[in-house]
Amino acid sequence: MATKREKKDEQILARMRDLAESVITGFREKGNPPVMIPQRSLSNSVFDEENSIIRMGDKLQERVFFHQGQAKRFMQTFLVATACKELLDVKKTTSIRDLFYMTKHTLARGENTFDDQSESDPVLEDLEVTLGALREELHLFASNKGTMVGNLTLIDSGDTIDCRSMGTGGYGIPSIVEEHVIQFKKCEADFVLIMEKDAVWRRLNEDKFWKKHNCIMMQSGGQTSRGVRRMLRRLHDEKNLPVYVLVDNDPWGFYIYSVLKFGSINLAFESERMAIPKARFLGLSSFDREKFDLPSVVTIALNKEDEKRARQIMNYPWFKDKRWQNEMKKMMDSKVKLELEALSSRGISFISEKYLPEKIMNDDYLE
Amino acid sequence: MSKKTMDDLFLFTAEPPAGKPAPQDPPADEDTSDVIPDADAPDRHETGSFMIAGTDNLFGELWEDAGPGDGGPSAGTDQRVPRQRPRVKAEEFATQQREISISEFFAKNKQLLGFDSAARALMTTVKEAVDNSLDACEDAGILPTLIVEIVNLEDNRMCVIVQDNGPGIVREQIPKIFAQLLYGSKFHRLRQSRGQQGIGISAAGMYGQLTTGKPMRITSRIGERHPAHYFELMMDLKKNRARIVKDMIVDWDVGHGTRVEIELEAQYKSGRQSLDEYLAQTAVANPHTEIFYTNPRGEKLHFPRVAMDLPRQPEEIRPHPHGVELGMLIKMLRESPHRRVSASLQHEFSRVTPRIAEEICQLAGVPITRNPQKLTGDEIQALYKAIPQVKILAPPATAVVPIGEELLRRGLARQIRGAEFYVSRSRNPRVYRGNPFLVEVAIAYGGELQGLVDHGDPGDIAVAGVSLDQEKTVASALLDLPGFTRKKVAECLEKSGISPRKRVKSLEFSEIAQLRSAYDTYARQEADTTSAQIIRLANRVPLLYQLKACAISKAIMDMNWRRYGVTQPRGGFPQGPLVIMVHFASVWVPFTSESKEAVAHYEEILEEIRLALQDCARELSGWLARKVKIKANRERKSLFQRYIPDLARSLAVLTGGKAKDLDGMIQEALEEYAEQVALPEMVDLEAERVPVNAFDGDGDGDDDNDDDNDDGDDDSDSDSGDDV
């Protein structure tokens, strides 16, 4: 396997060199050589209905140096590539945060190559799609995000982790959860429950919900990271566990679910190994307010931004399913949104003792 | 006497009325009895007995039949004497008139020659000596190197020393040239030269003598094999003759050349009419000249040579019939040695062929066989009227020599440093009153306005190129700078947000930068409301006085500069960071007075100046309009340049190449890219320009790559507009 990885490294190094050579040739001919970058945009996202995932189209975006708006990005692209090459050369892996610091320095007039990480991350994504290499193949990882507990024992870089005894904090899901890092040892769970809210996860963990209902619980702290998504997908694929998703009842919550299920526009090239078309949307549904008799005082009015986002989501081709449209319409009509915490208005453990068991037992979910 | 009277009558009918500037008509100023018709006669001694009639005429005063009171033009107070009385005394006056020497006359009328104040006397003296030196060098084919030194003496006296590397003067001529008025080689010819009358240097010597009683000292040597002669000369004002005080051979380590020393009552002034300014302008107008100058303060200034070639020697020509004035025509025909009027016309004028002479005579109804000396006034009038109706080739352009567009610009760029835009234009020669002339204009615009010297070192804070005193407060240090007022200091400090009480030495680096930019803004605003600096040149001689009286100024003020994007108050000079230089070159410069300070307002001359100004202004306005774009372009280029090192390094790491090579390669690609971006504009310009060969006297190149030019409708090829 090591040789396989080394081979992959070689391959990627060669692709980087080719990319640089092509640009040098262009400059030598006094031209303005482009770097062709697959577009990471909605217009270049194709919904693969057969597999029910979002794929990246074949539209390319030209990035040239001699263009006022692109010059810096062009330089940054190669700066990041150089940093990745260094990592590959020394066979070390580091965080994208590190990458930001590796490539950040000051140019003339106090200008920095990168001002903050939000500037270097998209450049790295550009490089991933351009080279056709995954982040981990470039020896990079994101910071850990997301935690998990449940009836699972796994091996992380040789250490055995029992997710049943993780205390109140849970096991931090690493950025790279591929087989060479993490292997599943013993899995007794019946399903996986993923939620966007850490607070809800803590409540359920304290109530030992996973023990009672024999499951694995994850929280992603908002939009799911690649590590979380990949972990879910592996559990889903390898252990045949259904995945239930618990998010706020607002457009953003719906979109988190959407990403888990179909893949994201930005990382459409990763959909194939990350999307879980069979992920189940458990809640909060727009209809739960009535179903569970939640007081209207816990609702929050939709703001302009929410409505705009809702309309956008309703237009996504993968959201065209009638049930989804109904969900969204219901939310738009009622003009309110609900947070997961709203369930606590019915009692502090309402979610773990009533809401979730009822929903799961009744198969009250969308798929 | 009767013939003379008739002449005079003719002359006066031909003259413009008094008060209106008249072109100088050299031969007409002389008593006919003394005239030697051959204009080339070099050694005339008769000029001393200058007739009142002539002098009177010279200064454009009306001649009352028998003349006023004591007959001297200086005593023009008693002109309204009843006619009968002067008739009785006329002969008596006539005898007195002969006794008045021209030297005496000029001694009483110094102002006419530019010696009316101590300051102007200094200027005029240097000017005359420098003019003579440059003319002599050029005539002899020597690249001029001049040493000008003004030594401060006591009692408001100064000693003017002008030394050249010219051909030198033979011993016998020295006294006449320097101590005899109206003696010279330039008076009798029609050729573009600096001096015209031969009054200048001797008048300067005379002024010196009158104010200090000291003789002028001349050293001259004509070559290595000849001794250097040293003269001390005084002037006999009555006889207009030199009185030789000393005549000796001296040791002189100069191979050839002439040195003039004149002691005079003088005053040195600084500013726009200073000697420093005059010499700087002389250097601009004469790019082939090198000048070493020591001013009365002991400061040494060096004006290096810009051009290594002498300007083409202007050819001597005869007058052209078009535009000749009646008086001139009368004189020329009267003095012609030929027997037939047709022959006279052919030989006295340029461009008159036998056929043309015949045509003129025919039109005038004058038989071609008439003896020109015997023509009646009516006949001459008829000829005068006929001439303009006949088509005659323009006068030979070889008689006037331009400075040349490229040298004009280079010369101007040397003196007016830091401007952003320079443009120049040489017009083709034209004719006024039978004299070929040409006009050249150069304009410098905008720029750093003696930009703040950016030392980068906080220990050496300089604003406007002057270091600030480290120990003082910022306010008082700024106040020490030239041209700073309390108001200006306060504004600068307020704008830069610096406490006036802060010490200069404790200024932060960023504060210095703010201070400089505040000053810059202020200076720019100030420059925008300051009138343009006008540099006037006549036959390569700077004109510093009588600005408002000059045709050059009139042409500049009459033009609508606002049309070209330059501010201009109604009827005034344009304003802004602008320098306008106009060179008028002609075989005969029509000065408004003998002090040679202003060009007379001839319609033809005004028109040519206007056209040349318009040519330049068009380019300027095109440049102004494009300035914003150019600036954006430059910024864009620098944006790319900022990222090139990192890009090159990255590419080098990825491919194993050399960062330095890649850097150079990308830079080259950038140049190519920048050129391509600018290309469409340039192609348009080339297509619009109609190439017509301009008269290009000293062969200055016109192959500059002028990417800042616009201006499609000019009628001469241009080679200007470098963006410096």
Side-chain angles (χ1 to χ4, degrees), chain A residues 16-17 20-21 23-24 27-28 30-31 65-68 71-72 74-75 78-79 81-82 85 105 107-109 111 113, chain B residues 632 636 638-644 646-647 649-655 662 665-673 676:
Chain A
M16 282 183 183
R17 192 167 45 243
E21 291 283 5
V23 165
I24 290 171
F27 282 133
R28 189 177 293 122
K30 299 197 181 200
F65 184 56
F66 297 132
H67 181 290
Q68 250 174 303
K72 192 173 186 181
F74 191 93
M75 177 273 290
F78 284 97
L79 208 56
T82 306
K85 178 184 152 57
H105 59 260
L107 299 159
R109 294 193 224 159
E111 189 188 7
T113 50
Chain B
R636 186 162 57 187
S638 84
L639 171 116
F640 299 134
Q641 275 161 344
R642 244 181 293 159
Y643 302 136
I644 287 179
D646 278 275
L647 178 59
R649 217 174 303 129
S650 299
L651 292 173
V653 170
L654 291 171
T655 59
L662 290 169
M665 203 174 76
I666 302 170
Q667 290 279 6
E668 275 175 39
L670 173 59
E671 291 304 321
E672 179 76 16
Y673 167 77
Q676 273 172 9

Side-chain angles (χ1 to χ4, degrees), chain B residues 615-632:
Chain B
D615 276 355
C616 289
R618 258 197 302 272
E619 295 205 3
L620 174 62
S621 86
W623 176 82
L624 283 172
R626 213 168 306 153
K627 194 177 160 188
V628 181
K629 208 174 167 186
I630 291 165
K631 205 178 153 207

